[in-house]
Amino acid sequence: MSVIAAYVYRNGERARSVSITAEDKLVLAPEEFVWIGLHEPEQNELAAVQARFALHPLAVEDAFKAHQSPKLEVYGDQLFVVARTAHLEDDGHIQYGETAIFVGRQHIITVRHGSARAHSELRAQLEAQPGLLKHGVDYVLHAVLDFIVDGYIPIVETFEEEVLAMERRALDTFLSRVEVNDLFQIKRELVRFKRVLSPTEEVCRRLEHLESPCLDEEVRPYFRDVHDHLRRVEAMADALREVIASVFEVSNLLEQQRQSAITRKLAAWAAILAVPTAVAGIYGMNFEHMPELAWTFGYPLILTLIAVACGALYLQFRRNRWL
């Protein structure tokens, strides 16, 4: 059975459990609402929930198939919201899940697919605050969305720590091939993450201003708070992408600087070695009539001149910081 929890709440407190397969009509007092949590339900289970709460068939079909983008649909006096959950795996990839939410005047039904975070902890937190839970289904909708958005923050923070650590290493040494691959992987994951954040932000923005029987005016500030959290996550992700670009830029600049320094050193030593090479080349031509060939001090004088010239070039290159 995929039903994780199904309870009726009265004035913010749990009153009784409810069955999704019962055929009798569910009668609720004005101060009551029902909250049902499903995890990867079978089609017949969703059909039972559809029949009992008059859910729209298109929304039920989307909730069963999953793999939907974040969205908000209005079906008469009911809302259908899809949000994407995200979880960072040990290999650095983001694993996405999906939560479909049916909202009516006195019912809220959540359908989770592939989500690593259950709503049990969230339900316990809300039940501990009956003063807030008594606001009804719209407050529960806000709490579920806020719970999902809060799960985004650790992902971005983990990526941020990794990128900043690589940035510090890039200032000291060359980035290894593994580190470069890790940076590209983080960049790819952030691009995919952005495809989830943008439509989710649009959903929160619409909920903040939507006129619906399911949404009370006094709960709108809570949706605005979720919207602010989401914009913060999006800003963090955008800033992190800029940091990744700057890490590559700094790494390339430092590599070019190091290559330039090596090139200068090689050029300086080549210039120094050119002096004895040129002199030796002249006196190695083996012509019969060459000056100084019969001179006793010619050989030591040439060696001295070579040493002085090489020493002068060396000192000059040292002053110019080429060596």
Side-chain angles (χ1 to χ4, degrees):
M1 194 68 171
S2 62
V3 180
I4 304 303
Y7 299 105
V8 172
Y9 292 86
R10 181 186 304 115
N11 292 324
E13 296 183 350
R14 184 189 296 184
R16 63 185 185 277
S17 61
V18 63
S19 172
I20 67 170
T21 58
E23 297 181 357
D24 60 311
K25 184 178 180 180
L26 181 62
V27 179
L28 298 173
E31 68 277 7
E32 292 182 334
F33 71 91
V34 60
W35 180 7
I36 298 176
L38 305 176
H39 180 248
E40 299 182 356
E42 300 293 336
Q43 190 168 10
N44 62 326
E45 294 172 332
L46 272 180
V49 175
Q50 176 187 358
R52 187 148 207 207
F53 295 95
L55 305 180
H56 197 280
L58 292 179
V60 173
E61 182 181 357
D62 289 344
F64 177 71
K65 291 182 177 179
H67 305 296
Q68 302 291 318
S69 297
K71 64 179 181 178
L72 168 63
E73 300 287 350
V74 180
Y75 296 104
D77 60 349
Q78 296 190 20
L79 302 179
F80 178 64
V81 180
V82 176
R84 299 296 301 273
T85 59
H87 172 72
L88 187 62
E89 299 289 340
D90 294 336
D91 59 0
H93 292 281
I94 300 177
Q95 183 67 38
Y96 294 99
E98 183 177 316
T99 299
I101 310 170
F102 299 89
V103 184
R105 291 175 181 268
Q106 290 183 282
H107 70 260
I108 180 168
I109 303 165
T110 59
V111 181
R112 293 189 298 113
H113 291 275
S115 175
R117 301 173 68 208
H119 294 165
S120 302
E121 180 181 351
L122 173 63
R123 188 183 290 264
Q125 292 175 356
L126 294 180
E127 290 177 350
Q129 305 177 71
L132 294 176
L133 190 56
K134 71 178 182 180
H135 285 299
V137 295
D138 47 1
Y139 184 80
V140 177
L141 173 61
H142 140 265
V144 172
L145 292 176
D146 191 49
F147 179 77
I148 292 173
V149 172
D150 285 345
Y152 296 161
I153 298 177
I155 296 175
V156 182
E157 290 179 342
T158 301
F159 283 154
E160 187 177 43
E161 292 177 1
E162 293 181 11
V163 171
L164 292 179
M166 292 184 193
E167 184 182 39
R168 288 190 295 268
R169 288 197 294 272
L171 296 175
D172 300 327
T173 183
F174 291 105
L175 290 179
S176 66
R177 185 178 183 85
V178 174
E179 290 173 326
V180 172
N181 289 337
D182 289 342
L183 283 176
F184 273 112
Q185 177 179 321
I186 293 175
K187 187 176 181 179
R188 287 193 297 269
E189 293 297 328
L190 288 175
V191 170
R192 297 190 184 99
F193 196 35
K194 181 74 172 181
R195 297 173 189 165
V196 172
L197 294 178
S198 296
T200 305
E201 184 180 359
E202 176 63 18
V203 169
C204 293
R205 187 190 64 78
R206 288 187 60 192
L207 286 171
E208 185 180 344
H209 301 92
L210 182 66
E211 296 291 340
S212 172
C214 305
L215 305 177
D216 293 335
E217 186 67 29
E218 58 186 1
V219 181
R220 295 189 187 280
Y222 293 101
F223 290 111
R224 187 179 306 119
D225 182 65
V226 178
H227 192 193
D228 291 340
H229 290 177
L230 194 56
R231 283 188 294 185
R232 176 193 167 202
V233 174
E234 194 168 17
M236 292 172 62
D238 290 339
L240 188 54
R241 290 172 63 184
E242 294 179 2
V243 172
I244 292 175
S246 69
V247 169
F248 282 121
E249 184 177 354
V250 169
S251 178
N252 288 334
L253 289 175
L254 291 177
E255 184 174 357
Q256 291 175 7
Q257 185 181 17
R258 295 182 185 112
Q259 290 178 350
S260 178
I262 293 173
T263 301
R264 288 198 301 268
K265 288 182 180 180
L266 292 175
W269 284 114
I272 293 173
L273 293 176
V275 173
T277 301
V279 174
I282 292 173
Y283 283 94
M285 292 187 291
N286 297 323
F287 290 118
E288 182 178 355
H289 301 289
M290 293 184 65
E292 298 93 16
L293 287 179
W295 189 26
T296 304
F297 299 102
Y299 181 69
L301 178 61
I302 292 301
L303 291 180
T304 302
L305 291 176
I306 290 175
V308 171
C310 291
L313 288 174
Y314 178 80
L315 293 176
Q316 184 63 36
F317 286 133
R318 289 283 291 183
R319 278 196 294 268
N320 294 336
R321 297 183 178 179
W322 281 40
L323 291 175

